[in-house]
Amino acid sequence: GQNIDQPTEMTATEGAIVQINCTYQTSGFNGLFWYQQHAGEAPTFLSYNVLDGLEEKGRFSSFLSRSKGYSYLLLKELQMKDSASYLCAVTWVDYKLSFGAGTTVTVRA
Amino acid sequence: NAGVMQNPRHLVRRRGQEARLRCSPMKGHSHVYWYRQLPEEGLKFMVYLQKENIIDESGMPKERFSAEFPKEGPSILRIQQVVRGDSAAYFCASSPMPGNEKLFFGSGTQLSVL
């Protein structure tokens, strides 16, 4: 199995911070993606983590702990346009890419 | 450099017909992944192909579904004798090599079976 777990929904206020957690089984792990997907559109790339630690890209940061099978995506200074589904995806050593069910983030004014 | 191109964007079929979904990867990308997404659900892996080879089809239904990625031309996902349960968004993604962070998605094909 390649269980990838993330919360179903999160709600936050414009200007706030939201952290989306993702856990996965560590066996066979290669790397972890975060994608953003607006309804009816294709997923767009946000980040890719292979090594432990935090990577920051503007308002978005992604963290990985390989030993704990844990990652999070941090969204800062939330804007209305950040309302979307955020997908955690894991690449495995056999090169398959598996997705979690996605976390729907709703930003309120 | 064009992105991953999928066509058609929308496809309507009646039960029992065949559906052909096309995916042209980005230039220089020889690895293609197909995913299916039902409303309110995540992306489900279907098949991973390299040029002229199926590497992993563990996510493909055993019957009615097939995929190819010929030496020339786009990757094709073919669904024979479609049923209403096949209605979904089908996305493909391409990469220059396996396990690479440069994995990009097409806009998807929305299949509706009447």
Side-chain angles (χ1 to χ4, degrees):
Chain A
Q2 297 169 330
N3 294 332
I4 301 171
D5 294 315
Q6 51 182 129
T8 304
E9 294 180 334
M10 302 184 75
T11 301
T13 306
E14 199 173 11
I17 297 174
V18 69
Q19 177 174 315
I20 307 169
N21 297 325
C22 174
T23 59
Y24 58 88
Q25 72 169 45
T26 57
S27 175
F29 175 82
N30 186 45
L32 189 143
F33 285 93
W34 283 97
Y35 285 87
Q36 179 191 62
Q37 186 179 27
H38 286 98
E41 298 182 9
T44 54
F45 172 86
L46 293 178
S47 66
Y48 182 59
N49 293 67
V50 177
L51 301 176
D52 286 353
L54 183 69
E55 292 194 6
E56 299 186 74
K57 289 183 181 180
R59 294 189 299 113
F60 292 4
S61 303
S62 57
F63 172 83
L64 178 68
S65 169
R66 295 178 66 105
S67 62
K68 294 182 179 178
Y70 169 68
S71 172
Y72 67 73
L73 179 69
L74 193 69
L75 314 179
K76 294 179 281 190
E77 301 171 14
L78 279 173
Q79 301 176 7
M80 299 300 287
K81 67 178 182 180
D82 297 331
S83 292
S85 180
Y86 291 85
L87 307 175
C88 171
V90 172
T91 60
W92 308 97
V93 292
D94 61 359
Y95 305 125
K96 187 190 277 191
L97 174 66
S98 304
F99 283 81
T103 299
T104 299
V105 172
T106 302
V107 181
R108 293 182 173 165
Chain B
N1 190 11
V4 180
M5 305 298 291
Q6 287 189 250
N7 68 83
R9 186 70 192 272
H10 300 278
L11 182 61
V12 179
R13 285 288 179 266
R14 297 188 181 280
R15 281 180 296 170
Q17 292 184 318
E18 179 180 285
R20 280 182 178 248
L21 289 62
R22 296 176 192 78
C23 171
S24 296
M26 288 183 71
K27 187 177 181 179
H29 288 198
S30 58
H31 300 263
V32 167
Y33 299 79
W34 282 95
Y35 290 85
R36 176 164 62 178
Q37 187 174 38
L38 295 170
E40 311 300 325
E41 294 187 10
L43 290 154
K44 300 294 186 199
F45 169 79
M46 297 184 75
V47 62
Y48 163 39
L49 308 107
Q50 295 178 28
K51 281 285 187 182
E52 301 183 272
N53 289 303
I54 297 174
I55 306 302
D56 183 348
E57 56 182 347
S58 58
M60 290 270 277
K62 293 292 187 286
E63 297 177 350
R64 302 188 298 108
F65 285 71
S66 63
E68 62 177 12
F69 188 15
K71 186 177 180 180
E72 301 291 338
S75 175
I76 305 289
L77 179 66
R78 182 183 179 205
I79 311 172
Q80 296 177 288
Q81 299 175 334
V82 295
V83 300
R84 289 215 173 109
D86 297 333
S87 296
Y90 292 83
F91 289 96
C92 84
S94 75
S95 172
M97 63 181 67
N100 190 281
E101 66 177 279
K102 290 181 172 56
L103 181 76
F104 299 105
F105 281 82
S107 299
T109 294
Q110 181 63 52
L111 174 65
S112 298
V113 180
L114 304 179

